Amino acid sequence: MLPIKTKMVVDMELQEAKDAVLQLIKDKEKIESTLQALKELLDSNILQNQIDMDESLVDSEGYPRQDIDVYQVRHARHKIICLRNDHKALMKKIEEGLHKVHALAEGSKAQDSVTPNVSDSLETETLEPFLRVNLVSPGSPAEIAGIQVEDLILEFGSIHYRNFKSLTDIGKLVENSRYKVINLKIKRGSNVIVLSLTPRPWVGKGLLGCNVIPLEIVER
């Protein structure tokens, strides 16, 4: 049996890895926002001339064009090139971070199966799954939290099978919990694990990046 202290260290490392990935994603979203603003600058109509990344900034005689702000466009182009490189580097770090999160999550799950908490086990026996995960988008808050397709949800924050009425309940809880941690109790195979999910805007749709469907009684 592994000591509780070892489990705590693994959980701390897992949370730190999640926080690091979340920060990287925030940095990525900031870069994407800046890139969009710069693109709109180049795409904007400057004296009826559309400017992109490749259009010449000099006239036929080799002089700077008078119909555009040459300095502004050059600065925007240079900034876009730099930000694209930064974005590429961040995407690589995010990918590496997600791999680390998944590895630590699997390690934590393995230790949970070795050192089960008796009170948690007794409590779980009184719970029944009421939702099934049928979609998890790459890079989403759900994936970062460790949620996987076919996970069965026993508890979603304060919602469980006894008080669950419809997916509207889940939607309201998620919307009211932006940037706040929601604890999920999930049944995965024969294991029951607890995950921390933080709803927030990301590059995809919604605040979670996953889809759940209600379980019929015969499926439980």
Side-chain angles (χ1 to χ4, degrees), residues 130-183:
F130 65 102
L131 297 173
R132 178 169 63 84
V133 180
N134 66 345
L135 173 68
V136 178
S137 300
S140 65
E143 186 189 49
I144 293 172
I147 296 174
Q148 298 179 12
V149 173
E150 298 302 327
D151 280 348
L152 299 179
I153 297 179
L154 301 170
E155 285 185 344
F156 194 105
S158 59
I159 301 175
H160 47 75
Y161 83 98
R162 294 188 185 92
N163 61 14
F164 173 73
K165 296 178 181 178
S166 70
L167 290 177
T168 302
D169 299 339
I170 301 295
K172 289 180 179 179
L173 175 61
V174 169
E175 184 62 37
N176 293 329
S177 302
R178 290 188 178 217
Y179 300 106
K180 299 178 183 177
V181 174
I182 298 177
N183 290 323

Side-chain angles (χ1 to χ4, degrees), residues 192-204:
V192 174
I193 58 178
V194 177
L195 301 176
S196 297
L197 174 63
T198 304
R200 59 175 181 78
W202 62 296
V203 295

Side-chain angles (χ1 to χ4, degrees), residues 94-114:
I94 289 172
E95 182 180 0
E96 293 171 350
L98 287 173
H99 286 316
K100 183 176 181 180
V101 167
H102 290 162
L104 288 170
E106 289 299 319
S108 179
K109 182 184 73 174
Q111 292 192 20
D112 282 338
S113 64
V114 176

Side-chain angles (χ1 to χ4, degrees), residues 25 57 87 92 151 205 207:
I25 290 177
L57 302 183
H87 187 270
K92 184 176 181 181
D151 280 348
K205 294 182 180 180
L207 300 175

Side-chain angles (χ1 to χ4, degrees), residues 28-94:
K28 178 180 73 71
E29 291 173 349
K30 184 177 180 180
I31 287 178
E32 290 171 345
S33 177
T34 304
L35 280 170
Q36 182 61 32
L38 290 169
K39 183 178 182 300
E40 290 173 359
L41 172 64
L42 294 181
D43 290 343
S44 65
N45 194 317
I46 305 177
L47 296 181
Q48 307 302 316
N49 289 279
Q50 297 293 332
I51 305 301
D52 57 22
M53 289 293 290
D54 302 312
E55 186 172 346
S56 176
L57 302 183
V58 298
D59 58 24
S60 59
E61 297 180 359
Y63 291 102
R65 289 171 53 176
Q66 298 299 314
D67 57 342
I68 59 174
D69 187 333
V70 174
Y71 171 80
Q72 186 183 56
V73 173
R74 280 179 176 166
H75 177 75
R77 286 178 174 177
H78 175 72
K79 191 69 175 176
I80 287 174
I81 292 172
C82 293
L83 287 174
R84 283 176 175 173
N85 291 333
D86 292 343
H87 187 270
K88 184 177 180 181
L90 272 176
M91 290 300 292
K92 184 176 181 181
K93 289 182 179 179
I94 289 172

